[in-house]
Amino acid sequence: MKVQIIAVGTELLLGDTLDTNSNYLSIKMKELGFDVYKRVVVGDNYDRLFKEIEEGLKQNDLIVTTGGLGSTEDDITKKCCCDCLGKEMVLNEKSYAKLRNYFNEDEKAIQGNIKQCMFPEDAIVFENFNGTADCAMIENNGKRILFLPGPPAEMKPIFEQQVQKVLEQFATDCILSETLNISILGEWDMNERVKDIIESSTNPTVAPYFKKDKRILRITAKASDRQTALKMIDAKKKELRERLGVYIFGENDETIEESVYKVLKEYDLSIMTSESITGGMIASKLVNVSGVSDYLKRSLVVYSNEAKIDLLGVKAETIDTYGVVSENVAFEMVERMFEKFGVDCAISTTGFASGENAGLVYVGLGYKNVIKTLKLQLHGERNKIRNRVSNRALAELRLMILENVSRETF
């Protein structure tokens, strides 16, 4: 099935609102085995929208619109869709009853929103449980238009709970993608380790990506049904895991901090951070994960030399001798965390986020009094450097824990 997606709204054209709906719908169409041939954004203009839908119907089997289903004059999507397919609208009693209940029988509010209850008699109407604007799919001579609400909080539940089941009857193939997330390895290094798997994989396919300091391997399978596609993906994941091992820290949307939390929880390990260049960013990432309070015992922001000395106990002579941005200071910061606070794991950071030496960073890592340091030379603007340091520090600590746990086991 050929599909065109149309996002409706002048606010999208002006950049006031980001069009995330089209991306979401493209993924869902792909999973159904449909081919998305075109995606466009059209403002709240009847003539332009009508022309876009009219032309789209000539080339595609299904037009999917989002937005423009409200009660105001500029909400013209539904009328435009119906006009393009020559459909007359009548009052939908179920939508009308819902509207009356929503506005508590307030006649003025009901009449002001009644256009949201108008649909063609033969439309498949989908109830909006998170708003007042129900939506529908209409059809004429094998051409279909699906119009959905604009707010993602309304559109996504409707699609997943109602629309998808209807569209599945038109699906001939299922296309699914899942990802493996890789840390520490450079993009070229990751590619070299799995190059033969990438080149020999046809279905599922394996494709490398680089996204926000995270290496990704996307596995895509095409099959007659979802379960078969998932089995194919799982088999390929197993093959890649055997090759990359602990460098794979998670799947799909899993973050490095979530992966670190899982390791801390599995081995019941406490952790502490003392941060200079990252200014609490590592601790903040960890705190994003529910349940981490059982393991994150302390966090210090020791941005100044005085803080490193007074709060942590780093020796002034170490800073004077080697400089505050040095392997020695990063090492001693971890050493003091173990001595003063008795935690199982520790991370320290010290470096330059700007200036002549911007991007020079030392990270201290500790696991049960075993300490190592890491020197990084990064590029980019200030906050990009800080974020990269934070992600790398967490990834390195995770790897350090797993390597030491493995040795302890044998």
Side-chain angles (χ1 to χ4, degrees):
M1 181 177 281
K2 298 178 182 179
V3 180
Q4 177 173 337
I5 298 169
I6 304 175
V8 183
T10 302
E11 71 279 5
L12 300 173
L13 279 179
L14 296 177
D16 295 333
T17 302
L18 184 64
D19 173 26
T20 59
N21 285 346
S22 293
N23 186 64
Y24 170 86
L25 289 168
S26 288
I27 293 171
K28 291 300 180 182
M29 294 300 126
K30 178 192 69 176
E31 290 177 355
L32 288 163
F34 298 167
D35 296 313
V36 178
Y37 273 51
K38 189 178 182 182
R39 281 171 31 175
V40 296
V41 176
V42 180
D44 299 308
N45 181 287
Y46 179 90
D47 292 336
R48 292 173 196 161
L49 181 57
F50 185 94
K51 183 179 180 181
E52 190 64 52
I53 295 173
E54 185 179 46
E55 290 300 313
L57 287 170
K58 295 176 183 177
Q59 306 295 326
N60 301 282
D61 307 301
L62 172 66
I63 303 292
V64 183
T65 70
T66 65
L69 299 184
S71 59
T72 61
E73 289 299 315
D74 60 353
D75 291 312
I76 42 82
T77 302
K78 182 164 48 176
K79 176 172 171 50
C80 217
C81 292
C82 291
D83 289 349
C84 279
L85 286 185
K87 296 285 184 177
E88 294 293 330
M89 288 190 287
V90 297
L91 186 70
N92 181 279
E93 294 296 339
K94 187 175 179 180
S95 294
Y96 184 57
K98 170 191 162 186
L99 191 73
R100 295 194 70 88
N101 182 64
Y102 182 87
F103 286 111
N104 198 26
E105 300 295 333
D106 183 335
E107 283 298 330
K108 186 175 181 180
I110 292 167
Q111 292 307 311
N113 289 271
I114 199 166
K115 66 183 288 188
Q116 296 181 78
C117 305
M118 305 296 289
F119 296 93
E121 285 185 317
D122 59 350
I124 301 173
V125 179
F126 304 104
E127 186 172 356
N128 186 346
F129 295 103
N130 299 288
T132 59
D134 290 345
C135 55
M137 186 166 73
I138 56 178
E139 185 266 339
N140 191 13
N141 293 325
K143 299 289 185 176
R144 295 176 176 86
I145 303 177
L146 168 66
F147 43 88
L148 299 168
E154 298 178 23
M155 186 274 291
K156 290 181 180 180
I158 289 176
F159 189 92
E160 292 170 8
Q161 296 165 17
Q162 301 177 65
V163 174
Q164 187 163 314
K165 296 174 185 176
V166 173
L167 292 179
E168 282 174 354
Q169 65 183 299
F170 307 112
T172 54
D173 290 304
C174 174
I175 302 175
L176 289 182
S177 293
E178 295 202 359
T179 61
L180 294 177
N181 304 325
I182 291 87
S183 65
I184 299 175
L185 298 178
E187 192 172 8
W188 66 270
D189 193 357
M190 179 190 74
N191 286 344
E192 283 299 310
R193 291 172 187 247
V194 295
K195 185 178 180 181
D196 58 320
I197 298 177
I198 293 172
E199 291 177 348
S200 63
S201 298
T202 54
N203 188 25
T205 60
V206 179
Y209 293 90
F210 186 79
K211 183 179 180 181
K212 290 185 178 179
D213 202 32
K214 179 170 70 175
R215 271 66 68 197
I216 294 171
L217 289 172
R218 175 171 289 131
I219 307 117
T220 303
K222 184 176 183 178
S224 59
D225 59 85
R226 183 179 181 85
Q227 283 304 112
T228 303
L230 286 173
K231 286 181 181 178
M232 294 165 66
I233 289 172
D234 286 342
K236 189 60 65 174
K237 280 183 187 175
K238 183 179 179 182
E239 185 180 359
L240 290 165
R241 284 186 177 279
E242 287 173 353
R243 186 71 63 86
L244 294 173
V246 293
Y247 292 112
I248 297 174
F249 69 81
E251 299 185 8
N252 301 321
D253 295 328
E254 185 174 353
T255 63
I256 187 62
E257 54 265 31
E258 288 171 331
S259 181
V260 170
Y261 165 71
K262 287 181 179 179
V263 173
L264 296 174
K265 184 178 181 180
E266 181 177 358
Y267 300 107
D268 192 25
L269 301 170
S270 60
I271 186 173
M272 178 178 178
T273 66
S274 291
E275 305 179 54
S276 184
I277 183 174
T278 47
M281 188 177 283
I282 297 172
S284 179
K285 285 178 179 287
L286 288 170
V287 170
N288 281 334
V289 185
S290 176
V292 81
S293 58
D294 292 334
Y295 307 97
L296 179 61
K297 298 306 178 183
R298 286 179 174 82
S299 177
L300 296 177
V301 176
V302 284
Y303 200 62
S304 66
N305 292 359
E306 291 79 11
K308 293 177 180 67
I309 295 167
D310 297 340
L311 298 178
L312 202 52
V314 174
K315 296 175 183 176
E317 61 192 77
T318 303
I319 296 175
D320 292 340
T321 303
Y322 300 102
V324 69
V325 177
S326 64
E327 177 184 5
N328 304 74
V329 169
F331 185 96
E332 194 168 322
M333 288 168 74
V334 174
E335 198 172 43
R336 295 296 170 263
M337 282 187 274
F338 283 144
E339 290 176 359
K340 293 187 68 172
F341 303 103
V343 291
D344 299 313
C345 307
I347 298 175
S348 69
T349 63
T350 180
F352 299 107
S354 58
E356 185 179 348
N357 296 310
L360 174 62
V361 181
Y362 289 93
V363 176
L365 302 159
Y367 170 76
K368 293 188 174 179
N369 294 309
V370 176
I371 304 173
K372 72 174 186 179
T373 58
L374 178 71
K375 180 182 179 180
L376 303 175
Q377 185 62 65
L378 305 172
H379 303 283
E381 56 88 26
R382 182 182 186 86
N383 286 322
K384 183 178 179 181
I385 290 172
R386 295 174 61 238
N387 189 60
R388 290 186 65 188
V389 172
S390 300
N391 289 336
R392 182 66 181 271
L394 287 166
E396 292 282 354
L397 179 69
R398 173 185 171 274
L399 186 61
M400 185 179 187
I401 293 170
L402 293 176
E403 287 176 342
N404 279 277
V405 166
S406 179
R407 282 194 287 267
E408 291 167 1
T409 306
F410 290 99

